[in-house]
Amino acid sequence: MKRLAALFLALTITLGSVPACAEWAEGAFSMVNTAAFSERNGQRTALDLERQSAEATIDIQTGDRLGLTIGGTNIVLYPVSGGLAGLTWNPQGVSLLHEEDIKALNHPLTPGEVPAWGADMAWPGLGVARLVLFPLGADAYVGFLISHPQDRKVVRQMEFRRVPGPRDRPD
């Protein structure tokens, strides 16, 4: 009985140290823009959305990096220190998800346990843009693409939902 209890304790300790990113979804996703705004001189204006979806592939890479492929373009996103707790954004006056929404959709994790990935990159037509991605529960992701074309800031919210079909199907 003591050996069984010791084995159970050792197994519990080992499982508790498994990296959180191993739990997040990989594979084919449908990506759609779900909110967007432009800000100039402190004034925000909602942008019309293209409701067309795009195919995306997400995979967890070595070093807890996230690989994102959209339209044949491969993007490597790096872990954000502190996860969701390391990010701040101001969704006031627009229809972006709030931090509270993200927390609720990733319950029971704390903001520091919800991973986030990001990268700065050259984005066609937008110049240098920042892309940040974090999970929306176990089977979806949400991302923000933040750019500064001309004299304004543009923020686009993107949601990545699993492509319908059986889980863990081969490519």
Side-chain angles (χ1 to χ4, degrees):
M1 188 66 167
K2 287 182 184 179
R3 284 186 184 169
L4 184 59
L7 178 61
F8 177 73
L9 181 60
L11 185 58
T12 304
I13 292 169
T14 303
L15 290 177
S17 64
V18 173
C21 68
E23 301 170 16
W24 307 113
E26 295 184 85
F29 290 80
S30 178
M31 185 212 71
V32 66
N33 288 322
T34 55
F37 72 88
S38 174
E39 183 175 325
R40 178 180 284 147
N41 299 326
Q43 298 285 48
R44 291 185 175 183
T45 305
L47 297 175
D48 291 334
L49 298 176
E50 298 172 12
R51 290 293 183 179
Q52 301 165 336
S53 64
E55 293 288 322
T57 303
I58 296 175
D59 63 286
I60 305 296
Q61 300 181 344
T62 308
D64 294 342
R65 292 177 294 187
L66 196 72
L68 173 63
T69 304
I70 302 174
T73 300
N74 297 315
I75 303 167
V76 177
L77 301 170
Y78 297 88
V80 173
S81 179
L84 180 61
L87 299 171
T88 59
W89 65 95
N90 179 359
Q92 301 304 320
V94 293
S95 58
L96 294 181
L97 288 172
H98 289 61
E99 183 178 359
E100 293 302 317
D101 300 322
I102 306 299
K103 288 178 191 176
L105 290 165
N106 286 294
H107 181 74
L109 300 177
T110 66
E113 294 171 323
V114 176
W117 299 271
D120 291 335
M121 69 202 84
W123 197 277
L126 298 178
V128 175
R130 174 167 289 166
L131 178 62
V132 178
L133 202 68
F134 39 88
L136 269 183
D139 290 323
Y141 293 88
V142 67
F144 295 116
L145 179 66
I146 304 114
S147 61
H148 299 273
Q150 300 160 356
D151 62 344
R152 61 192 173 117
K153 174 168 67 173
V154 176
V155 177
R156 297 182 191 283
Q157 178 178 283
M158 303 168 287
E159 290 187 29
F160 297 81
R161 301 282 179 184
R162 274 199 185 276
V163 172
R167 293 181 75 135
D168 302 325
R169 65 182 178 202
D171 288 339

